[in-house]
Amino acid sequence: MTATREEGRRRVFADLTPLRTSAHYRRLWFGSTVSWVGQGMTTLAISLQVYDLTGSTFSVGLVGLFSLVPLVAFGLYGGAVADTVDRRKLGLASASGSAVLSAALAAAAFAGFHHVWFLYGIVALQAVCAALNSPARTAMVPRLLPPEQLRAANALNSMITTFGMLVGPSLGGLIVGVAGYQTAYLVDALAFSASLYAMWRLPSMLPDRTGKRRASVLDGLRFLATRPNLRMTFLSDFCAMILAHPRALFPAVAVLWYGGDARTTGLLVAAPAVGALLGGVLSGWQSRIRHHGQAILLAVAGWGTAIAVFGLTRELWLGLLLLALAGYADTASMIFRSTMMQVAAPDEMRGRLQGVFIVVVVGGPRLGDFLAGSVADLTSPAVAITGGGIACVLAIGALAAYGRGFRRYDAHDPTP
């Protein structure tokens, strides 16, 4: 009876096998969770401090720009570095840099050094550290776990970022309100100790390279250009993030459709994150899926459908439910895409592919924000959102018709 109950739980909830079987992965997962919460706190605290100093929403918006540009610019480069040097050492160095930057924020706040240009500079340097850390950390996972556990690990990893985005800002706002900016920054700096300890305990992580030449960004892009299944994982994500990404319209939607205010906007922003978290928690069913390409196509089509119907509803509860369903579908797509990238790609290319992944994940939604805002300005939010969802479904349908090999991709016989 106990075995049957355990099997039933695994069919529904996230598979915890990677946490049980690998102490290295368990420490890395826990350390990353703690550091993501700390980073979420700092992200909110910096935005609040910039607004306190300037009283300008435009100045707050620049915080995102100072983070976006280095992430995109250094994303590909960080992947090439991760395919050249010891990934453990790169992860330690970049995480240490992030911890030092958070400590610098705390020291400046304690000293009364309040300057917007200083905050912008720290944000940019934090983005550089993140662009170096993410490819190294992601490329470590396939070296710590057998291939059959990577899908479960990616489901667990999806919960790290979502949990950080949900809990970090809330906790950061509470700490800033009670104890000031300096305390929030200091807590973030201390939170990195968990991640640093996890990486310190790892073995050496030199990439498996066939030659001694330094890994090249261009070689990584050439590799991706000749691997249709891996290339399709990025194209499918672009369909969702560029064509059907209504986040920029949430403030207008909250007022025009639901007669709400900033709190309503907050609910709209949180709903996809809640769905994404559930996508990780309720990911047990994915272990029975062999054809990951088909699963990605269906998940992206599900995202587009949910967004299109969201554009037609005027009931807040229904709108939040649809956004949560979209977030769930997005996490399912991400889990399968990440697993394909880790299993089908050789170790010497994993860092560079993760660098491309960073550019897509960071840049795609920004292009989607611009497209949605432009279309809504020319027409209406409803046309932009519903039209974008329909365009996403049509585009993913075209990719499905084109990518026959992608539809046949078999996790038991991975082909890049």
Side-chain angles (χ1 to χ4, degrees):
M1 180 68 71
T2 302
T4 303
R5 194 159 43 238
E6 176 67 15
E7 182 180 352
R9 190 200 67 78
R10 289 185 179 183
R11 288 176 178 273
V12 177
F13 295 103
D15 184 358
L16 303 181
T17 302
L19 295 175
R20 288 195 293 261
T21 59
S22 172
H24 286 308
Y25 175 76
R26 184 166 60 247
R27 284 190 291 265
L28 192 63
W29 185 86
F30 177 77
S32 297
T33 301
V34 174
S35 63
W36 265 94
V37 172
Q39 291 172 69
M41 292 169 47
T42 290
T43 298
L44 180 75
I46 288 177
S47 296
L48 292 174
Q49 190 173 9
V50 168
Y51 187 75
D52 280 350
L53 292 173
T54 65
S56 167
T57 55
F58 175 77
S59 297
V60 176
L62 286 179
V63 173
L65 182 64
F66 275 93
S67 176
L68 170 64
V69 173
L71 274 173
V72 173
F74 284 87
L76 296 177
Y77 176 74
V81 175
D83 285 338
T84 302
V85 304
D86 187 338
R87 290 160 179 164
R88 171 184 173 271
K89 292 182 179 178
L90 179 59
L92 276 171
S94 53
S96 297
S98 295
V100 169
L101 291 170
S102 293
L105 284 170
F110 275 115
F113 187 77
H114 304 303
H115 295 280
V116 173
W117 62 265
F118 175 75
L119 297 175
Y120 287 156
I122 293 292
V123 166
L125 292 174
Q126 285 177 329
V128 172
C129 289
L132 294 173
N133 184 269
S134 181
R137 188 178 65 250
T138 304
M140 292 175 186
V141 176
R143 301 279 287 271
L144 302 175
L145 298 168
E148 62 270 17
Q149 292 185 20
L150 289 178
R151 186 215 56 81
N154 285 314
L156 293 170
N157 291 342
S158 73
M159 290 188 276
I160 294 175
T161 54
T162 309
F163 183 77
M165 287 188 295
L166 285 173
V167 175
S170 301
L171 188 58
L174 178 64
I175 292 177
V176 168
V178 172
Y181 300 112
Q182 62 275 12
T183 305
Y185 298 142
L186 185 59
V187 170
D188 183 24
L190 295 175
F192 276 105
S193 61
S195 182
L196 290 170
Y197 174 74
M199 291 186 185
W200 181 263
R201 292 290 302 274
L202 292 173
S204 176
M205 288 279 180
L206 284 167
D208 295 333
R209 292 187 53 74
T210 55
K212 295 183 179 180
R213 188 166 62 92
R214 181 181 178 86
S216 165
V217 172
L218 290 178
D219 286 345
L221 295 176
R222 293 190 190 101
F223 172 83
L224 185 60
T226 59
R227 301 303 191 274
N229 287 336
L230 292 177
R231 189 171 64 247
M232 282 283 285
T233 64
F234 294 106
L235 293 176
S236 61
D237 193 43
F238 271 136
C239 290
M241 294 298 100
I242 296 179
L243 298 176
H245 197 260
R247 180 182 58 189
L249 304 182
F250 285 166
V253 164
V255 175
L256 297 177
W257 293 2
Y258 306 121
D261 52 17
R263 288 172 294 183
T264 308
T265 303
L267 291 174
L268 295 173
V269 172
V274 171
L277 183 60
L278 290 175
V281 173
L282 305 177
S283 59
W285 60 272
Q286 296 175 8
S287 62
R288 302 188 296 277
I289 304 298
R290 288 181 55 176
H291 298 287
H292 289 185
Q294 290 182 14
I296 292 169
L297 294 170
L298 289 173
V300 175
W303 163 279
T305 301
I307 295 300
V309 179
F310 167 71
L312 299 175
T313 184
R314 296 300 180 268
E315 293 288 340
L316 180 59
W317 69 269
L318 182 56
L320 295 175
L321 176 61
L322 289 165
L323 290 175
L325 290 174
Y328 185 96
D330 184 47
T331 292
S333 168
M334 186 278 294
I335 292 170
F336 287 119
R337 286 185 289 111
S338 297
T339 304
M340 285 182 64
M341 188 169 62
Q342 291 173 337
V343 174
D347 182 73
E348 64 176 320
M349 286 290 175
R350 285 174 181 150
R352 278 167 285 185
L353 289 181
Q354 181 62 24
V356 176
F357 184 82
I358 290 174
V359 173
V360 171
V361 169
V362 173
R366 270 66 178 187
L367 291 175
D369 289 341
F370 174 76
L371 180 62
S374 300
V375 173
D377 190 55
L378 293 173
T379 56
S380 69
V383 171
I385 294 173
T386 298
I390 293 173
C392 172
V393 173
L394 293 176
I396 206 67
L399 286 181
Y402 167 76
R404 296 180 180 178
F406 187 67
R407 298 201 310 270
R408 293 194 296 266
Y409 177 91
D410 189 342
H412 295 179
D413 183 25
T415 304

